Amino acid sequence: MLARRQTPQHIHGLQFGGPSPPSDLDDQSTQLLPSIEPDEWLYTDQYNPTVSPLYDEDENEFARDAEEFARGLDSLSIVRKSPAERRAEIFNLVDSYYQYAANKVHDLRKSHGQLSRAALRHSYDASSQDSMDLDDADNTPESPGSAEILRKWELEAQTWDLLRRLLPLRYPNKTSLKPMRHDVTRFQSCSELWDEFLQGDSIAQERKAVLECLQTSANESRVDIDDLVRDYQQRAERGDIIAYGWLHTRSAIKMQKNLNGWSGALDPNATDVVQKLRNGSNPLVTQLDPDVATRQNRKLQPQDEYFERAIWLGCYELLRRGRSIAEIRDWCVERTEVWRAVSMSAMPLSKDEGEGRFSCDPLSMLLWRRTCFALARQGGTDDFERAVYGVLSGDIPSVEKICEDWDDFVFAHYNALLRTQFDAYLMKRSPDSTTAVTQSFPAFNAVQFHGDADSVGERLVKSLETNAKTSAEAKTPMKTLQAAILSNSLDQYTYELGLALGNLANKDNVSALIPRFGSPDQDIDNAKFVQPTDHGGLRVLVHVYLILSSLEELQGGMQRELPERLRVQENVVSAYVATLRLTGLTDMMPLYCRQMQGDRAFFTLSRNVTGVTDQHEREILLRLMEKLDMDIAEFVQFQPRSLLQEHPLPEQQPPPFGRFTVFTHEPPNLKYGRPLKPDFLGEPPENLNDVDEHLIQSLEWFLLVDGLWHELFHYGTAIYKRFLKQFNFHAARALSERVRCAEIFKRKTGIIYDDDEDASWFDEVRASAAAGTLEEHGIGPDEVAAAQNFFEMECLIRALDSMETVASSELLAQDPTEQVGREFWSNVGREVKRIKSFMRPILNNWLMESVEEDDDFTYLRDAYLPETIIGYVSVLHFAGTALTRDNLLECMELASVIAKKDADVAAVIMKAGRMKELVEGFANCSKALVISSNDKKGPGGINSKRMMREHGWTRELWSVKK
């Protein structure tokens, strides 16, 4: 389905993106859009990433990504399934998008090497109370471009990870069974209560899912913990030794004991110990138990302080990355600090819950949390140590001190909220045994700290926009999206995104595809949202919006009662479709336009396919639309209808007479008659006006769809009228060349006339239809009547076109510097023959017979008939003197035709006040006929004596004999 651009890919015998296969022109022109079976797949047989040398690497990369995402989205449109099955498919689609982004991150890291995070590393040294300076990392960071690309994909993977975890919780299957709640027993462990707590609390499930996402992201994107603490290890001056505790402090105590003959445990208050056991101006600890520095209010050796910080930094990172208790224990055992693992073992909230489940009783859990809270607020010698206990106790201020980015702050708050919720759950399940504990030992209540539970997420992400550490990051497009996901406000987010896109698209010029809604000064920070030039960002956003819309539809929550809000949100889809057009991915556009509501689907698609001019490519688009259950008949009708409605002509038209002329201001002469004006249709432009071009294209689409006979000629007639009322000859001429009436008959009915320059073919069709001989082609009198006005206006513009050519030839013939030969006169004769053919319908009730009464036809008759007929007389005069006298005889016959009682043109000429000019033209022809010779320089005269006899003509009648 998704082959594009310049790379040819075969789709069931069709080829898109490369040159069209050679074929017989007649066969190709009559072939209508082939039917497509309901189960037919339009995918290529095997996936070949779309790459074109005509686009830069970024655009090629976008093409590959867009194709993969479209492939997944298209799978949702193939077969109708039950709501439960469809919901599962949507969740699987989100999983596949996450996996794609995660694979991209993996590939980028692999191809560029693990990106150095020296520039991005948390300023942990700055957060320390001692502000210990660290050397810059030895490894050199990758190029800024590589870092930016990797960061974008990391953010995208994190976004899809958030969605794949949260959407199943927010859009559950309504038939799913709720868990049974059991009464608490003395033998029930915290692990069992934790499972019951999560199963019964949807808010807790969401917060746990957010934590796991943040932990996974940190685990995969942050620098390795051993590398992170290596700088502190080096400052600790212990070589490669990472175990055995405070080596330098132990050595200092041992040395003072040896020097002073001390033995046993030292009294920190003893005078000689205070004076001699010092680190500069600071007294050293006298013992080596873990809390000695806090208990004695003394210092370690500076090297051991670095070592201590490295250990606590590692412990914090282990918790922040959601490592299992087994991994935490192994890390600590390796450093002979197993007691630290024990202190974290009660409830580390690892991202992989299957390992090392906590099994303590509820009372112990409550006591453990409050002990950790006391250490976070009152104990410890280092911010990282307090942050570790802050994470374990669900404290916020102690953890925020070392938070550096948006993710860290969200982790700190969601961790605290979840632990507070579980703490409250434990107390509620066993109130008798926990009352004394909760009264004696305080704990941080994050739920109370945040207030209203329904708006916690929204207020949190808003606060991060004003936080000095996170303000800039919080206002980036991807973090704004993640904030909307966390606060469950994606609907409002896509609405504001639609407003922002409308503002940006209409900043310099008015955009019909991405309209502006509301006032221009509305309070929307456009910088927070993805820009139209960010193709990758738009790709993410449009799929998030479509997934959310699909889930809302399944839940019955689509806001049909707010059509304007929906139109604003659909700006996201419209912007992405425009991106697909700009990047050459046109065959993906129907898939996304189909997701839009009402006429906007066809409006967006029709305005974006104007660059698709190849018939084969259009056929592919129509087949894709048919596969997507889009009404292709309505689509082709929508194009001209919407264009004519969007660009109406002024109701007040200037008077029709004198609006254009085919003559110069020179007086007539006997030889050539009244001189025609060369190029009287005007200098042809390089390109047509956009609206005119799109109107003509809209009729070309009709030729690819079977049926719609009356509709085609209805809109074709309306477009011809529009062009002719504007005297827009170039657009009318282009229409007559690209959508010929004879070609319509050929494509739609199989009726083929080899020479459509002979206008009599239409009379033959009319006669055959009246006789009923064309019923097998689906043509009857009604069908001919529907086509008549279209055909008549085509004859007019083709007659004027040939007349202009004759006018230019007349000028060349009078130029003595030009050498004109037989070929020149042969071409003139052919043009004259065309004019005669096209003038026959014009002279016979032109635009007087129509399916419905139309005042515009009267206007066009008044505007064109007088000038065209008088110009035709001049053409015959020139042809009669330059080619053969037979043309002058035809001019005389024309006079008799116009003079007939039932002739319709005489009244129009009289109404215009042009009868005198016409009579003078005939008089000039008669004079030329009298004095002209019988020389014949080319075709264009009456070549049949039988025809002359039928008309009662004779050349000798006009011969003057001496």
Side-chain angles (χ1 to χ4, degrees):
M1 171 180 175
L2 303 170
R4 285 169 309 287
R5 291 198 184 161
Q6 306 300 321
T7 303
Q9 284 187 312
H10 294 278
I11 306 181
H12 287 274
L14 296 178
Q15 190 183 51
F16 187 89
S20 299
S23 60
D24 184 83
L25 294 178
D26 289 339
D27 292 343
Q28 186 179 10
S29 63
T30 58
Q31 181 183 6
L32 295 174
L33 179 68
S35 63
I36 180 170
E37 297 300 325
D39 58 347
E40 181 177 353
W41 287 74
L42 293 184
Y43 289 125
T44 51
D45 293 334
Q46 54 185 352
Y47 169 60
N48 295 313
T50 302
V51 179
S52 170
L54 301 181
Y55 295 83
D56 60 30
E57 181 57 32
D58 288 343
E59 289 179 328
N60 282 326
E61 190 69 21
F62 171 75
R64 287 188 284 265
D65 301 335
E67 179 167 350
E68 190 63 32
F69 272 65
R71 193 181 297 273
L73 181 65
D74 184 52
S75 65
L76 297 180
S77 309
I78 295 174
V79 182
R80 301 296 180 190
K81 297 184 178 180
S82 67
E85 291 174 323
R86 186 167 174 80
R87 182 182 290 104
E89 282 192 342
I90 294 172
F91 295 152
N92 288 337
L93 178 63
V94 178
D95 283 338
S96 70
Y97 288 164
Y98 163 72
Q99 195 58 53
Y100 182 81
N103 289 340
K104 293 282 285 193
V105 172
H106 174 76
D107 293 342
L108 285 170
R109 288 175 181 157
K110 187 175 180 181
S111 60
H112 298 294
Q114 177 60 46
L115 182 67
S116 170
R117 301 268 169 173
L120 304 176
R121 180 177 296 177
H122 298 292
S123 303
Y124 289 137
D125 52 306
S127 67
S128 170
Q129 65 271 20
D130 295 328
S131 299
M132 292 186 288
D133 297 328
L134 300 178
D135 294 332
D136 293 334
D138 296 332
N139 50 336
T140 304
E142 295 282 346
S143 66
S146 300
E148 183 180 356
I149 293 172
L150 177 59
R151 181 58 180 159
K152 281 184 177 181
W153 279 105
E154 286 176 343
L155 286 171
E156 179 172 342
Q158 186 183 48
T159 301
W160 290 118
D161 193 22
L162 265 178
L163 287 169
R164 77 188 183 101
R165 296 174 188 273
L166 292 178
L167 290 181
L169 300 175
R170 292 174 179 174
Y171 297 91
N173 192 340
K174 294 181 179 180
T175 61
S176 58
L177 298 176
K178 294 185 177 180
M180 296 290 294
R181 179 172 174 174
H182 304 285
D183 294 332
V184 66
T185 67
R186 58 183 295 186
F187 304 106
Q188 204 166 8
S189 68
C190 280
S191 179
E192 295 170 323
L193 291 172
W194 172 254
D195 289 338
E196 286 187 14
F197 162 67
L198 286 180
Q199 290 174 3
D201 193 324
S202 59
I203 295 177
Q205 291 173 18
E206 284 197 19
R207 288 170 179 167
K208 182 68 168 68
V210 171
L211 279 181
E212 290 176 350
C213 175
L214 293 171
Q215 289 169 333
T216 300
S217 176
N219 191 50
E220 294 176 353
S221 62
R222 293 193 184 215
V223 70
D224 185 82
I225 295 178
D226 289 341
D227 293 334
L228 188 65
V229 303
R230 183 174 292 119
D231 296 318
Y232 291 122
Q233 289 286 148
Q234 292 173 353
R235 293 283 185 173
E237 298 179 3
R238 51 199 297 147
D240 295 330
I241 301 174
I242 60 173
Y244 307 118
W246 303 328
L247 297 179
H248 295 277
T249 302
R250 181 185 295 114
S251 297
I253 294 174
K254 187 175 182 180
M255 182 181 67
Q256 289 298 327
K257 281 186 173 183
N258 292 334
L259 289 175
N260 296 287
W262 299 336
S263 61
L266 300 180
D267 181 3
N269 297 317
T271 304
D272 55 344
V273 172
V274 171
Q275 292 177 349
K276 295 179 181 180
L277 190 60
R278 306 185 68 83
N279 171 21
S281 60
N282 299 316
L284 280 179
V285 297
T286 62
Q287 296 172 338
L288 299 176
D289 56 285
D291 63 340
V292 63
T294 304
R295 186 179 68 254
Q296 294 183 353
N297 194 23
R298 287 170 173 258
K299 295 286 186 179
L300 302 174
Q301 287 283 67
Q303 298 91 333
D304 290 333
E305 289 185 348
Y306 283 114
F307 173 77
E308 185 73 1
R309 184 165 304 158
I311 296 292
W312 284 118
L313 170 58
C315 291
Y316 169 77
E317 284 294 321
L318 289 166
L319 293 173
R320 176 67 180 83
R321 301 177 193 210
R323 298 290 179 84
S324 66
I325 188 60
E327 292 175 290
I328 294 174
R329 183 176 59 249
D330 291 344
W331 195 86
C332 293
V333 166
E334 186 180 10
R335 289 156 176 78
T336 61
E337 299 286 333
V338 69
W339 68 270
R340 300 179 199 251
V342 173
S343 69
M344 294 184 281
S345 63
M347 190 178 173
L349 285 187
S350 304
K351 64 180 187 296
D352 300 318
E353 283 193 344
E355 300 182 22
R357 298 297 300 273
F358 36 94
S359 56
C360 58
D361 61 87
L363 183 60
S364 299
M365 177 67 74
L366 293 171
L367 283 170
W368 172 81
R369 177 173 181 254
R370 282 154 178 75
T371 303
C372 289
F373 175 68
L375 289 170
R377 289 296 181 92
Q378 303 168 13
T381 58
D382 186 271
D383 284 343
F384 289 116
E385 180 182 359
R386 287 186 283 271
V388 166
Y389 289 115
V391 170
L392 296 171
S393 66
D395 186 35
I396 291 178
S398 60
V399 182
E400 281 190 325
K401 285 184 179 180
I402 64 168
C403 290
E404 288 297 321
D405 61 15
W406 192 89
D407 287 6
D408 287 343
F409 279 91
V410 174
F411 173 84
H413 284 263
Y414 271 70
N415 172 75
L417 286 165
L418 183 60
R419 290 177 184 272
T420 300
Q421 280 184 273
F422 185 52
D423 191 87
Y425 180 81
L426 291 178
M427 290 189 292
K428 185 177 180 181
R429 293 299 303 273
S430 50
D432 297 337
S433 59
T434 59
T435 302
V437 172
T438 55
Q439 290 178 349
S440 304
F441 303 99
F444 183 76
N445 191 325
V447 174
Q448 187 177 7
F449 174 82
H450 277 283
D452 182 20
D454 294 334
S455 59
V456 168
E458 183 179 356
R459 283 184 282 108
L460 171 59
V461 295
K462 287 291 183 185
S463 69
L464 296 181
E465 291 185 7
T466 58
N467 188 312
K469 286 185 176 181
T470 59
S471 176
E473 184 185 8
K475 294 178 180 179
T476 58
M478 199 56 72
K479 284 303 177 186
T480 305
L481 171 60
Q482 291 184 6
I485 296 172
L486 291 181
S487 58
N488 199 12
S489 58
L490 276 172
D491 182 74
Q492 179 64 21
Y493 170 82
T494 52
Y495 174 73
E496 293 181 2
L497 173 61
L499 293 175
L501 288 172
N503 292 339
L504 293 167
N506 293 271
K507 184 178 181 182
D508 299 320
N509 299 297
V510 176
S511 172
L513 283 171
I514 311 174
R516 170 183 279 150
F517 294 88
S519 59
D521 56 349
Q522 54 198 338
D523 187 22
I524 297 293
D525 185 359
N526 297 334
K528 290 170 54 177
F529 299 97
V530 67
Q531 304 297 297
T533 53
D534 183 2
H535 298 167
L538 278 175
R539 172 182 51 77
V540 175
L541 290 169
V542 74
H543 290 92
V544 169
Y545 167 70
L546 293 177
I547 286 168
L548 186 70
S549 298
S550 299
L551 289 170
E552 286 290 336
E553 187 176 5
L554 286 175
Q555 295 289 101
M558 290 293 286
Q559 300 186 10
R560 304 289 183 183
E561 70 280 4
L562 298 174
E564 181 170 334
R565 185 179 184 87
L566 185 63
R567 289 198 300 270
V568 173
Q569 292 174 328
E570 286 181 340
N571 271 355
V572 184
V573 184
S574 187
Y576 187 65
V577 173
T579 296
L580 295 176
R581 169 178 56 83
L582 293 172
T583 52
L585 307 176
T586 54
D587 61 335
M588 294 185 193
M589 296 190 300
L591 174 64
Y592 293 90
C593 290
R594 181 186 180 275
Q595 317 299 325
M596 306 174 83
Q597 302 296 319
D599 286 347
R600 192 169 185 185
F602 286 145
F603 178 84
T604 303
L605 183 56
S606 64
R607 296 305 185 268
N608 280 285
V609 297
T610 54
V612 181
T613 56
D614 180 75
Q615 176 184 323
H616 185 62
E617 295 178 10
R618 287 175 175 175
E619 288 176 349
I620 287 182
L621 283 173
L622 289 173
R623 292 185 65 190
L624 296 177
M625 293 170 62
E626 191 174 42
K627 173 185 175 290
L628 293 165
D629 292 331
M630 298 179 75
D631 189 341
I632 59 176
E634 175 59 25
F635 168 70
V636 296
Q637 293 179 74
F638 178 85
Q639 294 188 65
R641 181 173 69 241
S642 62
L643 284 167
L644 292 171
Q645 290 175 352
E646 187 180 350
H647 305 281
L649 294 181
E651 292 186 7
Q652 294 296 328
Q653 291 286 336
F657 302 113
R659 293 293 306 279
F660 91 106
T661 181
V662 299
F663 298 107
T664 66
H665 297 295
E666 299 177 10
N669 58 72
L670 191 58
K671 184 174 182 180
Y672 294 117
R674 188 173 179 181
L676 293 171
K677 179 182 179 181
D679 300 324
F680 61 78
L681 295 180
E683 187 69 24
E686 243 180 80
N687 297 295
L688 293 177
N689 172 279
D690 284 344
V691 176
D692 298 339
E693 173 63 28
H694 298 164
L695 283 169
I696 296 172
Q697 287 186 13
S698 71
L699 294 182
E700 291 176 330
W701 284 90
F702 273 91
L703 300 180
L704 304 178
V705 180
D706 201 3
L708 302 179
W709 179 273
H710 292 273
E711 293 82 359
L712 167 55
F713 283 111
H714 168 76
Y715 289 115
T717 300
I719 293 170
Y720 257 131
K721 284 194 305 182
R722 175 190 178 90
F723 293 160
L724 293 178
K725 285 174 67 176
Q726 292 179 302
F727 297 88
N728 188 350
F729 299 117
H730 301 299
R733 178 162 54 190
L735 176 55
S736 71
E737 293 169 350
R738 290 162 56 179
V739 189
R740 291 269 170 92
C741 188
E743 182 68 14
I744 296 173
F745 274 79
K746 183 179 179 180
R747 295 279 192 96
K748 296 286 187 181
T749 68
I751 299 175
I752 301 175
Y753 286 91
D754 295 331
D755 184 13
D756 73 335
E757 293 181 353
D758 183 358
S760 62
W761 72 267
F762 194 82
D763 294 327
E764 294 178 23
V765 170
R766 191 194 335 254
S768 299
T773 59
L774 296 180
E775 290 182 356
E776 63 183 61
H777 297 279
I779 296 297
D782 290 344
E783 284 69 33
V784 176
Q788 180 170 331
N789 297 144
F790 182 91
F791 169 74
E792 290 173 338
M793 286 184 281
E794 178 187 299
C795 287
L796 172 71
I797 193 62
R798 295 182 74 179
L800 291 174
D801 185 35
S802 293
M803 200 177 292
E804 184 187 56
T805 304
V806 170
S808 301
S809 301
E810 182 181 332
L811 182 65
L812 290 175
Q814 298 179 60
D815 188 348
T817 63
E818 291 289 338
Q819 298 293 324
V820 294
R822 186 172 185 82
E823 184 179 352
F824 171 81
W825 291 112
S826 295
N827 291 332
V828 172
R830 281 189 289 271
E831 292 297 335
V832 171
K833 184 179 178 182
R834 293 190 187 103
I835 295 172
K836 293 176 183 178
S837 173
F838 297 135
M839 285 300 296
R840 280 197 292 271
I842 296 172
L843 294 169
N844 185 22
N845 296 323
W846 187 71
L847 298 184
M848 291 190 69
E849 300 174 0
S850 59
V851 176
E852 54 188 28
E853 188 175 347
D854 195 331
D855 293 337
D856 288 337
F857 288 154
T858 302
Y859 181 89
L860 294 179
R861 284 173 55 80
D862 293 344
Y864 286 96
L865 282 181
E867 192 73 15
T868 303
I869 293 172
I870 298 172
Y872 180 43
V873 171
S874 186
V875 168
L876 293 175
H877 189 148
F878 167 67
T881 57
L883 298 175
T884 172
R885 295 175 71 223
D886 295 346
N887 294 295
L888 296 173
L889 292 175
E890 291 193 54
C891 187
M892 295 299 97
E893 176 65 18
L894 176 62
S896 65
V897 171
I898 295 175
K900 287 181 180 179
K901 272 189 178 183
D902 57 347
D904 62 288
V905 295
V908 178
I909 296 172
M910 288 291 291
K911 182 180 177 182
R914 306 286 298 276
M915 186 59 75
K916 180 181 178 182
E917 295 176 54
L918 180 62
V919 172
E920 289 175 350
F922 287 136
N924 290 332
C925 281
S926 65
K927 292 177 186 178
L929 183 58
V930 170
I931 65 172
S932 65
S933 66
N934 290 325
D935 295 338
K936 184 177 180 182
K937 299 178 180 177
I942 301 171
N943 297 319
S944 171
K945 293 181 179 180
R946 181 179 59 82
M947 287 182 62
M948 293 186 67
R949 285 196 303 270
E950 288 176 356
H951 287 83
W953 295 349
T954 174
R955 294 189 180 97
E956 286 73 17
L957 178 65
W958 294 91
S959 299
V960 178
K961 298 182 179 179
K962 297 181 181 178

